[in-house]
Amino acid sequence: MTARALALLASLGVAAAGCTSYYEIPIETPIQPKLDVTPFQRVLVAGFITGGSDEVDANTETVRLLRSQLRTRSALRVIDAEVVPLTEVASEQAPAADEAAPANGAGAPKEPKKIDDEKDLEAYDHVFANAAFWKKLGEEYQNPLIVTGTILFTPHQRAGFVQREREIVDAYGRRAVQPTRTYMERKGFILRPKFIFIDGRTGTPLYSETFREEVLYNPQQDTPALSSYFELMDRLIPGFLGTLSSQKIKGSRVLLK
């Protein structure tokens, strides 16, 4: 350590010793929204292409949750409307068999297929590029900002070592907590939503963002799928809201006096 560094540390120590007290002050750091929503006064959470677990109606639950959050944490007026069954709509809009049919005449199915993974979702991407559909929907609700996208909520399991705390008692009756590593198979869910924001005036996509959250439970813990869904959505809601409105990160600073 150099003489200059030693002198600096010594001066800081003297300064700290001379302080009679310190106090903590709260601070807020603003974060600007990722999307400029000033052209819009209304927002319509329309509906989602959903897949994965059949235990949760992810389309309806996601629409309800996002509308509720936007009512209290956004300046946009939330439109109450019927939830769009987007998976069915996308299936009806699938290209006709004679437009891009292979030799056997098979084409995109008109009936929705079960969606198990992200690859299955790709068959429905065409609905988000259908500007005429979204523009027509926007005209019905006075040209709002439209929120749509995909929701994949899938069961998941993982095996591996997990660190747990075990209480032990020594020969003198003293209790202590000892960390141990246990091999365990845990089950849970993965939530992968992709939010797409569309201009209701033109039907053009403006912005999209994808999230991923995962939760695992111990074998003896029986957690309903719907509870896991809300737990995972609660984690990513701040990120979703940060797209539409300015958010504040709360913190604190310690000042010496």
Side-chain angles (χ1 to χ4, degrees):
M1 187 177 292
T2 64
R4 183 177 180 180
L6 289 172
L8 178 59
L9 290 175
S11 63
L12 290 175
V14 172
C19 294
T20 57
S21 62
Y22 68 91
Y23 57 99
E24 187 175 355
I25 59 171
I27 63 170
E28 291 184 344
T29 304
I31 299 179
Q32 295 302 315
K34 303 170 187 175
L35 179 64
D36 180 14
V37 298
T38 53
F40 305 97
Q41 295 180 335
R42 299 173 178 82
V43 59
L44 171 65
V45 184
F48 296 86
I49 303 290
T50 60
S53 174
D54 294 329
E55 299 181 66
V56 176
D57 182 356
N59 185 22
T60 301
E61 296 297 346
T62 303
V63 170
R64 289 176 179 172
L65 179 59
L66 296 185
R67 287 179 180 178
S68 174
Q69 291 292 321
L70 289 170
R71 285 191 187 97
T72 58
R73 302 174 66 178
S74 171
L76 296 171
R77 178 182 174 185
V78 179
I79 298 172
D80 287 318
E82 293 292 328
V83 178
V84 177
L86 199 57
T87 305
E88 288 77 6
V89 171
S91 296
E92 294 171 0
Q93 293 181 4
D98 57 357
E99 292 180 6
N104 60 8
K110 293 300 181 181
E111 292 296 326
K113 281 189 173 182
K114 181 174 174 58
I115 300 173
D116 294 318
D117 53 34
E118 293 176 338
K119 186 176 181 180
D120 294 335
L121 286 173
E122 295 176 1
Y124 298 89
D125 282 346
H126 61 271
V127 71
F128 304 115
N130 189 342
F133 169 76
W134 296 109
K135 183 178 180 180
K136 181 180 179 181
L137 183 64
E139 289 173 350
E140 296 179 17
Y141 298 101
Q142 299 178 302
N143 303 325
L145 175 67
I146 300 174
V147 181
T148 181
T150 62
I151 305 290
L152 196 59
F153 180 65
T154 54
H156 175 60
Q157 64 182 21
R158 180 186 299 171
F161 286 95
V162 179
Q163 182 165 309
R164 307 179 67 182
E165 293 183 346
R166 183 171 63 94
E167 186 180 81
I168 59 174
V169 181
D170 62 15
Y172 301 97
R174 295 175 298 191
R175 297 180 179 273
V177 175
Q178 183 181 63
T180 59
R181 288 173 57 82
T182 305
Y183 186 83
M184 183 182 301
E185 291 187 0
R186 297 183 296 169
K187 295 183 179 181
F189 293 90
I190 295 176
L191 180 63
R192 285 181 289 237
K194 179 180 181 181
F195 299 117
I196 301 175
F197 303 87
I198 295 177
D199 189 335
R201 302 168 299 179
T202 63
T204 305
L206 299 173
Y207 180 77
S208 67
E209 188 164 10
T210 303
F211 297 87
R212 185 188 186 280
E213 293 290 344
E214 173 185 336
V215 64
L216 290 169
Y217 304 103
N218 295 333
Q220 65 273 18
Q221 185 173 349
D222 185 15
T223 303
L226 186 59
S227 298
S228 297
Y229 161 82
F230 282 115
E231 179 181 346
L232 295 173
M233 283 295 295
D234 187 59
R235 299 181 189 176
L236 58 86
I237 281 293
F240 166 80
L241 294 173
T243 303
L244 301 177
S245 59
S246 58
Q247 303 293 314
K248 293 181 178 179
I249 298 179
K250 295 184 178 180
S252 61
R253 291 292 184 272
V254 175
L255 298 182
L256 301 177
K257 183 177 180 181

